[in-house]
């Protein structure tokens, strides 16, 4: 067996693919690797001869360290590094090998460190191959644990630095991957008696496995979710306890209603004893089932703030106190009628509100599912080829330039570029594009996408937080944290809400006590408690953020990254949408569209000869012709006597035939009779194409037309945008004729042609000056100012990072349908927010006055505190449930 | 109007005034955070019914690290949101969750729970 020097694969000897060089035979796994080697064998030979990073201590206390170095460009670099390292105390030998890109250092143990040597190399302007890793550690309790772990880690070969944080229960370790592995680092910590876990992936995986063994696979559970589940269970237990106890309480609180025998009726001694029992029975309900109301209210009170807990705690306390006094000291009340009890209010309100809180936790967990799904897309491990060996390592350990092997059906772990092999890749989880994309050498692959058919190797170009998925997660999280302008109304209200409700309750009590019917104190108390327990600050506070969270998450699932709540809100108010032509409406890359022949020439003949001529040209149109011929597998030959005639075209000799390729002027210059081809040429130009006449051996052979092809779904998307009531404008630097032709084909009436890149933003501004809310859709660097100028900038994600940075919404899939979807989603989310806000305001705005007794003077109606408690419990559940409806949002066009 | 009614009116008005003063108008104490070695301005914020401290003063341009310790399980304070800074963190109960920020522009930056009921403020000078 031998190793392929290009990809490192094991190859059976003798291999079908080999190269003999300088008396040595190199074996390859494929023709592709063989060709790559042939192009520049020295790169691979040097790589093969590279020394592995090593580290050892000799008996005389000398440490010998070999480190890989990146970025060596010349032999003088070697001297610079050696000089810097030698300056360190205790360094005996510092040698850098330019060919192998390795530094060999020998130093006295204890006088310097790996960290200092790497520091010196850095100071010289070079990087050593190093990686940073975060490991979670459980079981640390104090500062001494921290220093013990740090000290032990730093003593290990290959560890550059180690920093342990007690607060986050983690260690950040910088190390040289070749010198030490993740498992070694974990061993060091575990041997000290602590438990380790990777910060990402590991724990979730473990939990999922645990659940799988129980027979059902549930979504991966993170620590917060576990806390939420625990809280849900606790609340449900509290609810059941309060609910069971409330049944007899309701029975004896309304003896008339249930037709209880006489001895249970009001005024009897038995009922008084029963009520006394209720007074004591209600204590565990208040202080266990309702403990969170008291602790929450007290904590808030100390912070000079008030919340839902304040309202409930005050309400049930007032009801209990009054009832307890009425049972224990009935004689202080002027009449028996006044000595009424409200223990039922305590039991029922606690039970219902606790149930509401439990249901809310459940529903809220669902609304953040989108981000959980995105995190769950990450691969856990990568099969990396290091030192000629394939090893599965945790994704956190993958470093830049690692060669990663992916087999069919596997998830691509990080972003990179294919260096060997080809396949089709399902990128739908990132782009929303359902059709798998073909990938060949040199193509980019995105982490989290799934390899479908073939095996390939790729070089990691982005790892950790730089991968596309990590950035998408970060963007979504940021957007979910932002505020939609509509939220400002709630913000202004919420700060005043709870104290205002308390004041209202007090004033209602006073009003009923002074002006109410007999028995005043009973009515006053009922009204006081009802106002407190019906007001729901939670519904108001949740209304906007919960819908925003679902809406932004839904966008991410469909390949639309909405960067802020403001963008989401503005998108549904748009009047005009400006579409950049190249790369947005069209593919942005010219392609061969027509080959028209005359004088008996054959299509393939005309195309092959034209493409052969154009092989010598680097013009984008020439590239399109060559690509067109290659796609048809035509044989191309090298042109001779190639001559470019500026402003006209090109001429050359191919296989002894004289070929002219150019415009009308070119044909006239060489007096070629076109025999009606001019008419065809005009027709093609009217279609937005660029026609070129071809003449072979001084005879008109035909026309070759090239055009930037319109994306297949652009027309449909534009029609849909119009249907949404938007004025669609196209902007381009192209000439009016081509621009209008494209505009006509896709159904755009207003075309702004011949616009210089720097004037795009100005044109957007002109539209804004017409009083319109304008969105700009583009992909190029030259679109960035216009994207920033527009009320909403939508960047096509296949474009440049600059455009994405300047945009408010990024469409990962390079299709205009994403614009339609973004606007539809924006409208749906804003509708949902408005429903929630209306519900919350309407509920509180109507509920509080009714609870205060507004209807009593007119209809004799007074709300029961029990109904008010139920209303409070379910108002926030309603809001969250309504927001979750958005999760079912389906684009009308996909 | 009898005496008890007058007393209830006076009591009610007095209580309402006190509620308004206590929750709306009384001055909250702001805590000035000094930068430690390395320039990081680090503070621990206890989360229980509110944020303690809830008004913190920082210096502009230097990194800020807020260590949130949620000492309750009530879902209200599960999240802390810095909407002006597009930052959010989920606070696991009884754990220290750090939130790192760098604010260059002086001003007041509010933070709040997911429902906007519990609030705090960063004053950047």
């Amino acid at each position: 067996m031998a190793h392929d020097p290009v990809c490192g694969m094991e190859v059976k000897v003798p291999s079908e693919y080999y190269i003999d060089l300088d008396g040595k035979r190199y074996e390859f796994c494929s023709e592709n690797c063989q060709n790559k080697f042939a192009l520049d064998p020295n790169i691979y030979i040097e790589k093969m001869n590279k020394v592995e990073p090593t580290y050892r201590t000799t008996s005389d206390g000398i440490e010998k360290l070999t480190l890989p170095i990146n970025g060596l460009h010349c032999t003088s670099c070697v001297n610079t590094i050696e000089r810097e390292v030698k300056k360190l105390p205790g360094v005996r030998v510092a040698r850098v090998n330019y060919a192998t890109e390795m530094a060999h250092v020998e130093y006295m143990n204890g006088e310097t460190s790996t960290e200092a040597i790497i520091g010196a190399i850095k100071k010289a302007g070079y990087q050593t191959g190093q990686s940073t890793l975060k490991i979670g550690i459980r079981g640390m309790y104090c500062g001494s644990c921290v220093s013990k772990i740090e000290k032990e880690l730093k003593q290990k070969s290959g560890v550059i630095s180690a920093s342990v944080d007690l607060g986050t229960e983690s260690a950040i370790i910088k190390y040289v991957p070749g010198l030490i592995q993740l498992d070694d680092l974990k061993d060091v910590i575990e041997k000290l008696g602590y438990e380790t876990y990777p910060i990402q992936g590991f724990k979730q995986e473990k939990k999922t496995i645990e659940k799988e063994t129980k027979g059902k696979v549930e979504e991966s559970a993170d620590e917060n979710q576990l806390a939420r589940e625990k809280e849900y269970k606790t609340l449900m237990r509290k609810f059941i306890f309060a609910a069971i106890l409330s049944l007899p309480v309701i029975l004896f609180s309304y003896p008339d209603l249930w037709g209880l025998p006489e001895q249970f009726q009001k005024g009897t001694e038995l009922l008084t004893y029963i009520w006394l029992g209720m007074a004591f029975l209600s204590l565990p309900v208040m202080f266990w089932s309702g403990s969170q109301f008291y602790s929450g209210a007290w904590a808030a009170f100390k912070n000079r703030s008030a919340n839902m807990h304040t309202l409930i705690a005050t309400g049930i306390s007032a009801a209990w106190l009054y009832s307890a006094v009425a049972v224990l000291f009935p004689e202080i009340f002027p009449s028996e009628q006044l000595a009424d009890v409200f223990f039922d209010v305590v039991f029922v309100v606690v039970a219902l509100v606790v149930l509401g809180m439990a249901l809310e936790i459940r529903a809220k967990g669902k609304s953040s599912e989108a981000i959980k799904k995105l995190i769950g897309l990450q691969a856990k491990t990568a099969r990396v080829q290091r030192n000629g060996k394939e090893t599965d390592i945790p994704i956190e350990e993958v470093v830049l330039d690692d060669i990663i092997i992916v087999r069919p059906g596997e998830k691509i772990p990080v972003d990179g570029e294919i260096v060997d092999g080809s396949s089709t890749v399902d990128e739908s989880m990132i782009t929303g594009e359902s059709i798998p994309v073909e990938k060949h050498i040199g193509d980019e692959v995105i982490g989290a996408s799934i390899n479908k058919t073939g095996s390939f190797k790729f070089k990691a170009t982005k790892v950790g937080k730089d991968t596309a998925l990590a950035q998408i997660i970060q963007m979504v999280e940021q957007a979910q944290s932002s505020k939609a302008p509509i939220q400002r109304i709630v913000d202004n209200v919420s700060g005043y809400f709870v104290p205002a409700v308390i004041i209202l309750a007090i004033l209602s009590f006073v009003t009923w006590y002074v002006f109410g019917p007999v028995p005043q104190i009973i009515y006053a108390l009922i009204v006081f408690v009802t106002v407190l327990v019906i007001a729901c600050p939670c519904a108001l506070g949740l209304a906007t953020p919960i819908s925003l969270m679902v809406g932004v998450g839904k966008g991410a699932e469909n390949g639309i990254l909405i960067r802020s709540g403001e963008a989401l809100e503005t998108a549904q108010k748009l009047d005009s949408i400006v579409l950049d032509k190249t790369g947005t409406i069209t593919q942005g890359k010219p392609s061969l569209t027509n080959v028209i022949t005359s004088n008996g020439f054959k299509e393939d003949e005309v195309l092959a000869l034209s493409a052969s001529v154009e092989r010598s040209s680097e013009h984008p149109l020439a590239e399109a012709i060559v690509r067109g011929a290659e796609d048809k597998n035509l044989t191309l030959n090298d042109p001779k006597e190639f001559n470019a005639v500026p402003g006209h075209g090109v001429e050359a000799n191919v296989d002894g035939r004289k070929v002219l390729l150019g415009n009308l002027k070119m044909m006239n210059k060489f007096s070629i009779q076109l025999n009606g081809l001019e008419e065809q040429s005009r027709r093609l130009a009217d279609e937005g194409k660029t026609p070129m006449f071809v003449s072979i051996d001084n005879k008109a052979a035909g026309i070759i037309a090239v055009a930037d092809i319109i994306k297949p779904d652009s027309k449909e998307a534009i029609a849909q945008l119009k249907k949404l009531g938007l004025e669609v404008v196209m902007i381009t630097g192209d000439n009016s004729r081509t621009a209008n032709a494209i505009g006509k084909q896709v159904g755009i009436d207003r075309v702004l042609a011949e616009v210089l890149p720097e004037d795009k933003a100005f044109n957007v501004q002109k539209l804004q000056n017409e009083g319109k809310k304008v969105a700009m859709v583009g992909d190029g660097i030259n679109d960035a100012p216009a994207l920033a100028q527009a009320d909403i900038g939508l960047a096509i994600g296949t474009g440049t990072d600059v455009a994405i940075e300047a945009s408010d919404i990024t469409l990962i899939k390079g299709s205009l349908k994403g614009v339609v979807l973004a606007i539809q989603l924006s409208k749906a989310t804003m509708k949902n927010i408005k429903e929630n806000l209306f519900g919350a305001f309407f509920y509180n705005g109507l509920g509080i006055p009714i609870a205060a007794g507004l209807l009593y003077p007119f209809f004799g109606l007074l709300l029961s505190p029990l109904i008010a408690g139920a209303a409070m419990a379910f108002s926030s559940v309603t809001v969250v449930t309504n927001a979750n409806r958005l999760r079912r949002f389906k684009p009308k066009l996909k | 109007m009898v005496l008890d009614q007058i007393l209830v009116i006076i009591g009610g008005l007095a209580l309402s005034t006190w509620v308004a003063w206590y929750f709306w108008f009384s001055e909250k104490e702001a805590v000035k955070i000094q930068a430690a070695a390395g320039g990081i301005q680090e503070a621990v914020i206890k989360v229980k019914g509110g944020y303690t401290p809830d008004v913190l003063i920082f210096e502009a341009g230097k990194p800020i690290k807020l260590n949130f310790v949620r000492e309750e399980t009530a879902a209200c304070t599960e999240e802390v949101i810095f909407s002006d800074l597009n930052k959010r963190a989920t606070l696991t109960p009884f754990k220290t969750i750090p939130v790192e920020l760098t604010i260059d522009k002086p001003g007041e930056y509010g933070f709040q729970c997911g429902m906007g009921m519990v609030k705090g403020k960063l004053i950047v000078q």
Side-chain angles (χ1 to χ4, degrees):
Chain A
M1 289 288 241
H3 277 105
D4 183 325
V6 178
C7 65
M9 293 268 278
E10 281 194 345
V11 186
K12 271 189 188 165
V13 180
S15 166
E16 193 183 332
Y17 309 101
Y18 67 94
I19 288 176
D20 285 319
L21 195 74
D22 297 335
K24 203 174 167 197
R25 185 184 163 104
Y26 298 91
E27 314 268 354
F28 305 94
C29 65
S30 64
E31 192 183 348
N32 184 30
C33 286
Q34 185 189 31
N35 292 342
K36 275 173 92 179
F37 184 87
L39 277 175
D40 198 347
N42 284 337
I43 303 175
Y44 303 101
I45 295 170
E46 275 176 16
K47 213 167 89 179
M48 281 174 81
N49 297 333
K50 246 186 190 178
V51 186
E52 295 309 327
T54 52
Y55 192 105
R56 65 177 193 273
T57 309
T58 55
S59 54
D60 53 359
I62 292 177
E63 301 271 3
K64 289 184 178 180
L65 170 72
T66 310
L67 278 172
I69 297 181
N70 302 334
L72 281 180
H73 299 298
C74 56
T75 43
S76 69
C77 310
V78 169
N79 299 332
T80 318
I81 297 170
E82 287 178 353
R83 205 170 44 239
E84 278 302 325
V85 176
K86 275 180 187 163
K87 279 184 196 169
L88 295 171
V91 171
R92 299 282 181 86
V93 177
R95 218 172 36 238
V96 177
N97 187 324
Y98 174 58
T100 59
E101 294 187 345
M102 299 299 275
H104 175 74
V105 186
E106 289 179 23
Y107 61 96
M108 282 305 290
N109 190 6
E111 288 187 33
T112 192
S113 62
T114 319
E115 193 175 1
I117 293 165
I118 289 169
I121 295 168
K122 263 193 185 166
K123 200 174 158 197
Y126 303 90
Q127 294 286 331
T128 52
Q130 59 171 278
S131 182
T132 305
L133 174 78
K134 199 172 179 184
I135 302 182
I137 305 172
R138 283 205 194 91
M140 295 189 292
Y141 297 103
C142 57
S144 73
C145 304
V146 170
S147 52
K148 196 160 73 180
I149 299 171
E150 277 182 357
K151 198 178 149 202
E152 201 67 26
L153 282 170
K154 279 179 189 167
Q155 278 178 1
K156 287 287 153 192
S157 322
V159 172
I160 302 159
S161 69
S163 156
V164 179
D165 189 350
L166 184 64
T168 55
E169 294 192 305
S170 62
I172 295 172
I173 305 164
K174 275 190 186 166
Y175 69 105
V176 183
L179 295 179
I180 194 161
Q181 303 295 334
L182 173 66
D183 286 342
D184 305 327
L185 296 169
K186 280 200 268 187
D187 275 355
V188 173
I189 301 166
E190 281 166 7
K191 273 184 187 155
L192 290 170
Y194 303 96
E195 194 189 331
T196 64
Y197 63 95
I199 293 296
Q200 288 174 338
F202 176 82
K203 193 170 23 159
Q204 292 184 358
E205 204 171 52
K206 200 171 155 190
K207 291 276 159 17
T208 311
I209 291 163
E210 277 172 13
K211 295 200 169 182
E212 274 174 359
T213 54
K214 282 177 195 163
K216 56 176 184 177
V217 184
E218 287 175 20
E219 57 188 27
S220 61
D222 61 8
E223 214 164 331
N224 290 308
Q225 199 178 326
L226 287 177
R228 224 174 278 143
E229 275 175 18
K230 205 173 149 193
E231 177 69 357
Y232 172 79
K233 282 180 188 156
T234 311
L235 286 171
M236 282 311 279
R237 273 200 300 273
K238 288 178 170 185
F239 158 70
I240 292 165
F241 179 74
I244 291 171
L245 291 189
S246 65
L247 293 175
V249 176
I250 289 175
L251 186 73
F252 293 114
S253 295
Y254 303 95
D256 305 335
L257 193 69
W258 312 112
L260 292 183
E262 214 171 89
Q263 58 267 40
F264 292 105
Q265 294 299 327
K266 274 182 189 170
T268 61
E269 204 176 333
L270 180 62
L271 195 66
T272 308
Y273 283 120
I274 289 173
W275 281 352
L276 196 62
M278 283 186 202
F280 287 104
L281 207 57
S282 55
L283 292 177
V285 172
M286 284 167 80
F287 297 114
W288 182 68
S289 291
S291 59
Q292 61 281 347
F293 302 134
Y294 288 97
S295 60
W298 176 240
F301 182 78
K302 283 196 294 183
N303 281 293
R304 290 174 190 262
S305 66
N307 52 29
M308 177 191 88
H309 300 315
T310 315
L311 298 176
I312 300 293
T314 316
I316 57 173
S317 300
W320 188 86
L321 271 175
Y322 185 92
S323 312
V325 172
V327 174
L328 294 170
F329 313 103
E331 64 280 359
I332 66 166
F333 290 88
S335 75
E336 197 182 280
Q337 195 189 9
L338 292 179
D340 208 349
V341 295
F342 300 97
F343 292 120
D344 55 327
V345 172
V346 176
F347 283 85
V348 174
V349 168
V350 169
L352 287 175
V353 178
V354 166
L355 175 68
M357 285 166 75
L359 297 178
E360 190 186 303
I361 287 178
R362 259 291 142 94
K364 267 171 80 183
K366 283 187 186 141
S367 37
S368 57
E369 257 171 18
I371 200 94
K372 271 188 243 159
K373 269 193 210 164
L374 282 175
I375 293 169
L377 289 177
Q378 282 169 330
K380 307 282 187 289
T381 57
R383 185 170 303 119
V384 174
Q385 186 178 292
R386 281 185 188 162
N387 310 327
K389 269 193 252 165
E390 282 182 24
T391 36
D392 280 340
I393 58 167
I395 192 165
E396 295 86 356
E397 274 196 76
V398 176
V399 292
L400 283 183
D401 295 338
D402 263 338
I403 299 293
I404 298 162
I405 301 127
V406 189
R407 300 203 174 112
E410 285 181 347
K411 204 176 260 187
I412 297 169
V414 293
D415 297 0
E417 191 185 310
I418 297 188
V419 291
D420 188 26
S422 63
S423 184
T424 51
V425 175
D426 177 4
E427 295 183 339
S428 60
M429 57 298 293
I430 299 287
T431 63
E433 176 63 76
S434 54
I435 304 162
V437 191
E438 282 208 25
K439 299 277 179 180
H440 304 281
I441 291 176
D443 285 345
E444 284 182 4
V445 285
I446 315 170
S449 52
I450 293 169
N451 177 29
K452 302 292 272 189
T453 48
S455 290
F456 63 86
K457 288 179 187 176
F458 75 96
K459 189 169 83 176
T461 54
K462 280 176 185 169
V463 296
K465 62 177 174 35
D466 296 326
T467 61
L469 180 68
Q471 293 195 331
I472 289 171
I473 291 170
Q474 199 194 349
M475 270 170 93
V476 173
E477 274 180 340
Q478 279 187 359
Q480 287 183 332
S481 318
S482 69
K483 198 180 277 188
I486 199 167
Q487 173 76 17
R488 286 196 196 108
I489 316 162
V490 183
D491 277 356
N492 290 334
V493 175
S494 69
Y496 299 97
F497 187 81
V498 177
V501 170
I502 299 172
I503 292 170
L504 258 170
I506 296 169
L507 296 179
S508 306
F509 180 92
V510 173
T511 311
W512 278 86
Y513 191 85
V514 176
F515 305 106
V518 177
Q520 289 99 328
I521 190 158
I522 297 286
Y523 281 109
L525 184 77
I526 290 173
V527 165
F528 177 74
V529 174
T530 314
V531 170
L532 288 177
V533 298
I534 202 169
C536 187
C538 305
L540 214 54
L542 279 171
T544 313
I546 201 90
S547 300
L548 192 71
M549 180 182 262
V550 181
V552 168
K554 196 74 209 172
E557 276 175 27
N558 287 282
I560 296 162
L561 301 181
I562 299 160
R563 297 188 60 146
S564 66
E566 193 172 350
L568 190 80
E569 186 169 337
T570 315
Q572 47 101 40
K573 294 181 190 159
L574 293 171
D575 303 301
S576 283
I577 189 149
V578 180
L579 307 175
D580 175 50
K581 191 205 90 176
T582 314
T584 304
I585 297 174
T586 64
Q587 307 271 20
K589 202 164 123 186
S591 304
L592 178 77
T593 55
N594 304 72
V595 180
I596 294 166
T597 55
S598 67
N599 285 332
F601 284 97
K602 284 185 182 134
E603 213 173 272
D604 285 355
E605 182 187 10
V606 172
L607 182 57
L609 287 169
S610 306
S612 298
V613 172
E614 293 289 27
R615 276 175 105 184
S616 299
S617 170
E618 286 188 356
H619 194 276
L621 297 181
E623 269 179 41
I625 296 172
V626 175
R627 218 172 32 246
E630 280 171 353
D631 288 347
K632 287 189 154 191
N633 293 323
L634 299 179
T635 313
L636 305 185
N637 295 308
D638 286 332
K640 284 176 190 154
E641 296 158 35
F642 180 85
N643 180 32
V645 188
H648 289 71
V650 288
E651 60 172 320
N653 226 315
V654 183
D655 293 340
R657 305 180 79 180
K658 191 184 176 192
V659 185
L660 300 174
L661 191 66
N663 55 19
L664 191 62
K665 275 194 273 177
M666 180 88 169
M667 296 298 119
N668 290 338
K669 188 177 156 77
F670 287 89
S671 310
I672 308 290
Q673 293 299 313
L674 290 169
N675 302 336
L677 282 175
E678 300 101 311
E679 181 54 38
Q680 305 248 45
S681 160
R682 270 195 296 274
R683 179 182 59 77
L684 289 166
D686 284 340
E687 288 171 9
K689 295 169 183 166
T690 309
M692 280 164 278
F693 295 104
V694 185
S695 145
I696 297 168
D697 294 332
N698 292 321
K699 258 195 207 163
I703 298 172
I704 283 187
V706 165
D708 185 3
I709 296 174
I710 294 166
K711 289 181 186 172
D713 45 17
S714 289
K715 192 178 175 182
E716 196 188 346
I718 289 162
Q720 197 74 25
L721 286 170
K722 283 178 160 177
K723 227 188 232 178
L724 285 168
L726 291 164
E727 178 198 22
V728 185
V729 180
M730 185 174 91
I731 199 162
T732 177
D734 280 4
N735 64 64
S736 309
R737 195 171 177 171
T738 314
N740 281 318
I742 299 279
K744 209 172 156 187
Q745 282 177 47
V746 292
I748 296 177
D749 311 318
R750 192 167 176 183
V751 175
L752 304 173
E754 290 166 42
V755 179
L756 295 170
E758 58 269 30
D759 288 341
K760 282 188 178 173
F762 174 67
N763 275 279
V764 169
Q765 199 180 13
K766 273 206 316 202
L767 283 167
Q768 286 171 322
N769 291 343
E770 290 174 21
K772 291 170 177 162
K773 280 243 181 273
V774 182
M776 166 80 198
V777 189
D779 72 328
I781 293 172
N782 58 27
D783 294 329
L787 288 170
Q789 171 66 41
D791 294 288
I792 287 285
L794 296 106
I796 299 272
T798 47
T800 60
D801 288 345
V802 182
I804 293 167
E805 200 52 50
S807 68
D808 302 293
I809 296 176
T810 304
L811 312 165
I812 306 177
K813 190 158 65 170
S815 159
L816 267 182
K817 280 181 183 174
V819 181
V820 182
L821 183 52
I823 294 170
Q824 283 178 350
L825 181 65
S826 156
K827 282 183 191 280
T829 311
M830 286 314 294
K831 189 173 165 231
N832 196 273
I833 289 177
K834 283 174 190 164
E835 283 164 4
N836 278 350
L837 280 178
F838 174 79
F841 275 117
F842 181 79
Y843 157 82
N844 281 302
L846 205 69
I848 296 172
I850 291 174
L854 191 71
L855 298 181
Y856 190 84
F858 311 103
F859 308 104
L861 276 174
L862 198 57
L863 205 63
S864 156
L866 305 184
I867 294 170
M872 181 191 208
F874 294 101
S875 57
S876 48
V877 179
T878 317
V879 164
V880 183
T881 311
N882 186 47
N884 278 341
R885 271 180 48 232
L886 253 188
R887 291 170 55 230
R888 294 204 296 269
F889 167 82
K890 285 239 162 46
K892 286 183 192 138
L893 186 148
K894 199 163 180 175
Chain B
M1 198 171 282
V2 288
L3 183 68
D4 63 322
Q5 289 176 324
I6 294 168
L7 286 175
V8 165
I9 291 171
I10 293 169
L13 290 176
L15 198 58
S16 301
T17 312
W18 180 82
V19 168
W21 170 82
Y22 187 79
F23 292 112
W24 292 335
F25 302 112
S26 64
E27 277 291 309
K28 288 192 175 183
E29 205 184 325
V31 180
K32 196 171 168 65
I33 306 298
Q34 299 292 339
I40 296 178
Q41 307 175 86
E42 194 166 4
V44 177
I45 299 176
K46 193 174 98 173
V47 186
K48 193 173 183 184
Y51 301 112
T52 314
D54 57 353
V55 184
L56 301 99
I57 304 171
F58 293 98
E59 215 177 301
K62 286 185 179 169
I64 296 170
K65 188 175 177 191
L66 303 173
N67 295 302
F68 284 90
V69 188
R70 183 172 153 224
E71 293 182 354
E72 63 184 353
T73 50
C76 296
T77 50
E78 189 185 82
E79 283 171 326
V80 59
I81 299 174
F82 297 78
S83 44
D84 300 327
L85 307 164
N86 284 3
K87 194 103 183 171
R88 166 201 294 266
T90 305
L91 308 179
T92 312
F94 311 106
K95 291 246 164 182
T96 305
I97 306 292
V99 174
E100 287 171 14
L101 309 158
T102 300
I103 310 171
D104 295 322
K105 219 171 120 192
E108 293 192 356
Y109 300 85
F111 58 98
Q112 59 181 53
C113 69
M115 297 182 193
M117 291 295 133
V118 178
K119 293 185 183 208
K121 191 163 64 180
L122 307 179
I123 301 171
V124 179
Q125 294 173 335

